[in-house]
Amino acid sequence: QKEVEQNSGPLSVPEGAIASLNCTYSDRGSQSFFWYRQYSGKSPELIMSIYSNGDKEDGRFTAQLNKASQYVSLLIRDSQPSDSATYLCAVKVPNGGSQGNLIFGKGTKLSVKP
Amino acid sequence: GAVVSQHPSRVICKSGTSVKIECRSLDFQATTMFWYRQFPKQSLMLMATSNEGSKATYEQGVEKDKFLINHASLTLSTLTVTSAHPEDSSFYICSAPLLKQGGGTEAFFGQGTRLTVV
């Protein structure tokens, strides 16, 4: 059973702080990792993708991947109230071919307090 | 980025009736599309993989005769919930993967359909 685990939260941070979201996955063969943001009642939107060990930065967002520990994280710097949402970690199934599907974690609810 | 359009965004139907949900890739072709279901405070659960020109692949526990999938063209997949029951009330979301230049794929999601069966 392929699994993606996240702390459901809620994670509450003050405006301007760094929010740290964590995710672990069970399939060691996984190669592609994604963070999606989902506002209530809306579909997910892609925030970051990461494929190799290390950090990947895009604006206020930094994704970190450690394949040895089967761990991927998302850091949000200078958190804003508009960042309040549920963040979904997703891992691409290794044997899904070039268009394989994603396994989603249950998501972490982030609340940024003004 | 690529656009996936899902319609309708919200539907209310009576028990026993059928509801069709459409998922279109507007500016790219998708030989494969995915259908997810999301219950309140839960994550997205894959229901089935829709394949253009062939039968859909259903996940364990998903009734193929109840959730009919038709991938009629490279840009359209439909999900029909037959004999709808209140237990089918959920948020249904489709996605279509797009191969990126340089490798890797990115999933683009439709807007989702909120189905309420009364």
Side-chain angles (χ1 to χ4, degrees), chain B residues 30-79:
Chain B
T31 57
T32 301
M33 292 186 180
F34 301 101
W35 287 96
Y36 296 87
R37 180 168 52 184
Q38 186 177 35
F39 292 107
K41 301 187 186 301
Q42 300 293 316
S43 189
L44 283 75
M45 296 301 296
L46 181 67
M47 298 176 65
T49 302
S50 171
N51 304 299
E52 189 269 336
S54 64
K55 291 183 180 180
T57 304
Y58 290 82
E59 294 301 300
Q60 191 172 11
V62 178
E63 299 175 57
K64 63 180 181 180
D65 295 330
K66 179 170 181 60
F67 298 99
L68 301 179
I69 291 174
N70 183 16
H71 199 137
S73 74
L74 288 172
T75 59
L76 173 64
S77 175
T78 60
L79 169 67

Side-chain angles (χ1 to χ4, degrees), chain A residues 26-37:
Chain A
S26 63
D27 194 322
R28 189 171 287 277
S30 301
Q31 297 293 323
S32 304
F33 309 87
F34 307 87
W35 282 100
Y36 286 85
R37 178 176 62 198

